[in-house]
Amino acid sequence: IKDFVISKDENKVELDRGTVLKIGKGVTDVKVGDVVVFNPYARGEFEFEDKKYFVVLEDDIIVILNK
């Protein structure tokens, strides 16, 4: 499974957009620091130290905004 962890941009809550923090093995099109828009129904969610994070498969990225 190709996946990565992103942090949701709190000032743009209406969009499922975030910054890639970590990537899994085999991820080819996304790199750490990329800002992405992703499918809101295809993500895992968890909180750590009062911050919300998402785990998203590479195939569920709609667009990479900073490429």
Side-chain angles (χ1 to χ4, degrees):
I1 296 176
K2 300 176 187 177
D3 58 1
F4 53 91
V5 178
I6 64 173
S7 172
K8 188 166 184 170
D9 296 335
E10 294 300 325
N11 58 347
K12 295 288 184 182
V13 175
E14 72 277 2
L15 299 176
D16 282 331
R17 181 180 97 164
T19 303
V20 177
L21 300 177
K22 300 278 183 182
I23 59 172
K25 293 181 181 180
V27 173
T28 57
D29 295 328
V30 181
K31 67 182 185 315
V32 173
D34 282 349
V35 177
V36 298
V37 175
F38 55 93
N39 183 339
Y41 302 106
R43 60 177 166 78
E45 183 177 319
F46 67 96
E47 288 191 35
F48 180 72
E49 296 181 353
D50 296 323
K51 196 164 184 180
K52 191 179 290 188
Y53 296 90
F54 302 101
V55 178
V56 179
L57 297 176
E58 186 175 27
D59 290 341
D60 292 318
I61 295 173
I62 297 166
V63 65
I64 301 171
L65 297 174
N66 60 328
K67 281 202 172 196

